Amino acid sequence: MLKRKHEESSKREHNPYRRRILFFLLLGWALLLLGDRVSELRVYQGALIAIYALAIGSLILLTGYSGQLSLGQGAFMAIGAYAAALTQIYLQPPIIITFISAVVVAALFGAIIGGGAARLSGPYLAGTTLALALGLPTLANLFSFLGGETGLYFDVGIAPERFGSEFTLYKWFFWIAALATLIMLFFIQNILKSRYGRAWKAGRSNPAAAQLVGLHVGRRKVLAFTISAGVAGLAGALLGMVSLVAPSTFTLSLSFAIITGAVLAGLTSLTGSILGGLVLVIIPEIAEMVSGNFGESEAVRANIPGLITSLLLILTVLFTPNGPAEQWHHHKEKKKQKAVEKQKN
Amino acid sequence: MQQVINVFLIGISIGSIYALMSLALVLVWRSTRVVNFAQAGQAIVTTYVAWEVVNRSGSFLMAFIVAVAIGGLIGGLVESGMMRTLFKHASDGPVASVAPVIATLGLLGVIRALVGLIWTNEGKRFESPVSTAGFVIGDTTLPFSRLNLLIICTAAFVMIVFSIVFQRTNLGLALRAAAYNPEIARLSGVKVAMTRTIGWVFAGAAGAVAGILLSPNDSLTPYSLDVLFVFGFVAAVVGGLESLVGAVVGGLVLGVGLSFITFYLGTSLVFPTAFIVLVVVLLVRPSGLFGVKGARSA
């Protein structure tokens, strides 16, 4: 009985890779069909969800797995966006190259900053990355080629002819964003399930033990920071594509929003990142409805989304610190265990 | 030469505000091992209250007293209401080390949103209680004003009160003992849980003073103290995050340094410099100028 169970589980372990590919392909196909059936605004929001999900994914890798909390994901997003926009303006390469340059440049910055940050723990790292998120956008005013407050325009062009004339610009954005996000999330998912992911978890849970089995915890942390920065850079380039590459896009609130999304999604589950992106886009919608009931006051409209997200953030961290998804999973496991015990008796 | 002295004095004036914020962060860190990211949020509430009091009564002194009292109250409430629950629920698990940071960030968001709902996000003009025109010596007008002098005096007064409390009273002894070794402090009869709350109360009061000193002659919005928080954090790290003296010295050094940079190289370099200072201190001397070694890494 036990042996068969073991075989079953090892069979399941054998092809998680293929199952993951299948899952992502199905998801992509469903999104494709959905993109044709909803209004322009929803398509735009779909692109935003994808972008947020990607940024949240980068934070989940960094915080949930490697245990480093960064409040500066917005800064890396800004670096990626500026890198993509500058590449596009000065070199005009194929569109995919601009996105790759965003990843590479952001990862490079991540490696430099991560080299210092890997030595820091908890609040020190959080404070340092906060200073980065607040300080970096001011650099845009220092160098004239960065465009100052007005920023740069990152032009990815219109959709190729063969998609037909009814293919709108926003749908094109949605396609690029969703595709990039799906590919990247797939990539992150695989890294997290690999020995790197396990090493990060080990370094996070018990650094001394991880070092004892021969893991170089510091170097792994720098690696996590680099990858996370690269992914965030791509998310930033995508955000720059749908809005503007300017300091006003990459504010501290963006960094905070991404943390909120990651915490609500559960910091330790990557699948939650899409849910987190969804929440970040839906909450302003809800807030709009709520503030409609209070009359059209500007103060209410500007502050209700912040109030809702921040309250959710506090409640989540106070009562389900590992995220609602994890909590539910835990609950299910316990139930299963109980059922097994009952059967035994 | 005269100019150098002037820039220096203005640096001391702004630096003493950073020192107060840094002091608040260090007090919280010593009592509960948390960097309170909501410190600027707590200060923004008290600053708005002070603005309201000044508008209604016209008395700056009364506004100051009310703000400090409310700042302390908020600090105590946050500790006993939120942080205790947090430590009870999130004491282990993968995110335990980041949970306090996230919780205080959430608090910052809630406070900002509430302040924005009550007073709107539009900038409020906080009138200065004294003249902001520079002193005149002979026929030259100095950039150093009465307001700067008032800031330095108030900050110095608050710091003197703090050092008397910490060095000369039993309460101060209990606070220092609980920060140094909670276990032994508890065994010798110190109510450690209470000293934690008191640490947060003092921190709230110090943050309130910093907010009310920074805001005169400037526009007040729910976000206007973010910068103060970051500089306070840098100052606290420079000073070692453990040491109250270090926090003050760190704040003053940072204020003077940034003042010279603003004057001779321009405002746009202030943030990059502060960031570089932070990173260099963390890399070269992670325990800060006055800190205990080995406190920084996990």
Side-chain angles (χ1 to χ4, degrees):
Chain A
M1 174 69 194
L2 202 76
K3 203 182 162 199
R4 199 198 300 157
K5 215 175 196 177
H6 180 73
E7 267 170 17
E8 245 176 347
S9 70
S10 69
K11 211 191 280 169
R12 217 185 308 153
E13 285 290 297
H14 256 302
N15 52 9
Y17 195 76
R18 213 185 296 164
R19 258 190 20 190
R20 256 174 259 152
I21 285 194
L22 201 67
F23 171 75
F24 277 99
L25 283 180
L26 276 175
L27 191 62
W29 186 60
L31 285 176
L32 195 66
L33 289 182
L34 204 66
D36 280 336
R37 277 163 184 71
V38 293
S39 71
E40 193 81 329
L41 175 68
R42 298 283 175 242
V43 171
Y44 169 72
Q45 285 175 331
L48 273 188
I49 292 174
I51 294 164
Y52 284 139
L54 187 58
I56 290 169
S58 79
L59 194 66
I60 285 175
L61 185 153
L62 188 66
T63 306
Y65 280 75
S66 166
Q68 302 164 277
L69 179 59
S70 161
L71 308 187
Q73 283 318 82
F76 291 112
M77 291 175 76
I79 291 173
Y82 275 100
L86 289 175
T87 317
Q88 168 65 28
I89 289 168
Y90 290 108
L91 303 173
Q92 285 148 350
I95 210 68
I96 187 142
I97 304 287
T98 61
F99 285 115
I100 291 174
S101 76
V103 176
V104 171
V105 173
L108 203 67
F109 272 85
I112 295 169
I113 292 161
R119 299 198 193 180
L120 310 175
S121 64
Y124 291 98
L125 180 60
T128 310
T129 46
L130 175 71
L132 181 70
L134 208 55
L136 194 86
T138 60
L139 283 183
N141 294 323
L142 210 55
F143 303 105
S144 57
F145 68 95
L146 293 178
E149 283 299 323
T150 44
L152 304 170
Y153 180 56
F154 176 34
D155 183 17
V156 295
I158 50 166
E161 292 272 318
R162 63 175 175 279
F163 288 137
S165 56
E166 278 177 23
F167 203 86
T168 60
L169 191 61
Y170 280 120
K171 206 180 274 178
W172 178 230
F173 287 164
F174 173 67
W175 274 41
I176 295 176
L179 190 67
T181 299
L182 284 179
I183 292 172
M184 273 324 231
L185 285 183
F186 177 68
F187 164 73
I188 297 175
Q189 179 81 333
N190 281 318
I191 291 188
L192 293 183
K193 298 283 179 201
S194 74
R195 63 201 172 100
Y196 292 102
R198 285 195 296 276
W200 286 329
K201 261 191 192 171
R204 178 201 69 199
S205 313
N206 193 337
Q211 245 156 4
L212 209 59
V213 297
L215 292 172
H216 197 297
V217 175
R219 236 177 265 161
R220 300 289 168 139
K221 277 187 168 176
V222 178
L223 181 68
F225 213 93
T226 310
I227 296 176
S228 168
V231 175
L234 178 61
L238 293 169
L239 190 61
M241 170 185 77
V242 297
S243 57
L244 201 67
V245 183
S248 59
T249 311
F250 302 99
T251 53
L252 200 56
S253 327
L254 176 69
S255 298
F256 286 177
I258 288 159
I259 292 170
T260 309
V263 172
L264 293 183
L267 273 170
T268 49
S269 75
L270 188 66
T271 31
S273 65
I274 298 173
L275 200 72
L278 198 65
V279 170
L280 287 188
V281 174
I282 286 177
I283 284 179
E285 289 265 305
I286 296 176
E288 192 84 342
M289 264 163 35
V290 171
S291 53
N293 291 341
F294 282 106
E296 291 292 311
S297 149
E298 184 56 42
V300 172
R301 190 170 337 154
N303 288 301
I304 287 286
L307 189 62
I308 297 177
T309 46
S310 306
L311 272 179
L312 279 177
L313 192 62
I314 293 182
L315 291 177
T316 313
V317 106
L318 280 188
F319 298 109
T320 63
N322 298 329
E326 190 83 348
Q327 200 82 3
W328 187 66
H329 191 71
H330 196 69
H331 186 71
K332 228 172 49 178
E333 290 280 282
K334 257 190 183 167
K335 237 181 180 175
K336 222 189 259 172
Q337 249 176 23
K338 260 188 197 162
V340 169
E341 267 168 34
K342 237 184 198 170
Q343 248 178 8
K344 267 186 196 162
N345 296 339
Chain B
M1 189 60 213
Q2 196 192 17
Q3 201 178 40
V4 173
I5 295 173
N6 254 314
V7 176
F8 178 79
L9 283 176
I10 289 175
I12 292 285
S13 147
I14 188 85
S16 55
I17 301 176
Y18 298 161
L20 283 169
M21 180 47 84
S22 158
L23 207 57
L25 293 173
V26 169
L27 280 167
V28 165
W29 174 259
R30 278 164 57 110
S31 64
T32 44
R33 302 280 134 188
V34 168
V35 170
N36 183 10
F37 283 85
Q39 199 75 62
Q42 287 167 230
I44 206 80
V45 175
T46 57
T47 311
Y48 267 99
V49 169
W51 176 81
E52 198 73 59
V53 172
V54 167
N55 270 9
R56 300 242 166 122
S57 71
S59 161
F60 195 76
L61 184 67
M62 192 153 108
F64 182 83
I65 293 167
V66 170
V68 170
I70 290 182
L73 186 71
I74 294 175
L77 284 179
V78 169
E79 202 281 332
S80 54
M82 190 174 91
M83 298 317 283
R84 280 191 194 178
T85 323
L86 180 76
F87 290 130
K88 218 186 286 169
H89 284 268
S91 52
D92 59 339
V95 293
S97 66
V98 298
V101 178
I102 295 171
T104 50
L105 274 182
L107 184 64
L108 176 65
V110 169
I111 290 177
R112 269 182 187 158
L114 288 178
V115 166
L117 280 177
I118 299 171
W119 284 286
T120 75
N121 288 4
E122 275 164 48
K124 299 265 188 280
R125 178 102 191 132
F126 200 124
E127 288 304 331
S128 168
V130 290
S131 155
T132 53
F135 286 107
V136 181
I137 295 178
D139 46 352
T140 47
T141 310
L142 308 179
F144 189 78
S145 67
R146 272 171 213 282
L147 179 64
N148 292 115
L149 191 65
L150 180 75
I151 289 173
I152 294 178
C153 292
T154 317
F157 171 73
V158 172
M159 284 169 203
I160 289 168
V161 169
F162 267 59
S163 65
I164 290 174
V165 168
F166 269 84
Q167 300 297 336
R168 296 261 184 270
T169 65
N170 285 338
L171 177 65
L173 188 63
L175 284 171
R176 279 186 293 149
Y180 183 70
N181 191 330
E183 205 64 21
I184 292 177
R186 187 176 292 119
L187 287 175
S188 23
V190 173
K191 287 185 179 120
V192 174
M194 198 187 70
T195 63
R196 286 189 177 148
T197 314
I198 291 174
W200 279 72
V201 169
F202 278 153
V209 178
I212 203 173
L213 289 184
L214 187 73
S215 300
N217 203 27
D218 205 353
S219 166
L220 182 65
T221 71
Y223 298 87
S224 57
L225 294 184
D226 285 1
V227 176
L228 175 64
F229 173 82
V230 170
F231 288 153
F233 179 78
V234 175
V237 170
V238 169
L241 207 55
E242 286 283 341
S243 146
L244 296 174
V245 180
V248 174
V249 174
L252 294 178
V253 168
L254 190 71
V256 171
L258 292 184
S259 169
F260 274 101
I261 286 189
T262 313
F263 200 81
Y264 290 107
L265 299 172
T267 18
S268 52
L269 278 174
V270 165
F271 254 118
T273 315
F275 182 70
I276 290 167
V277 167
L278 179 65
V279 171
V280 166
V281 168
L282 284 173
L283 290 184
V284 177
R285 200 181 156 78
S287 52
L289 298 178
F290 294 82
V292 193
K293 273 206 168 141
R296 203 66 46 124
S297 56

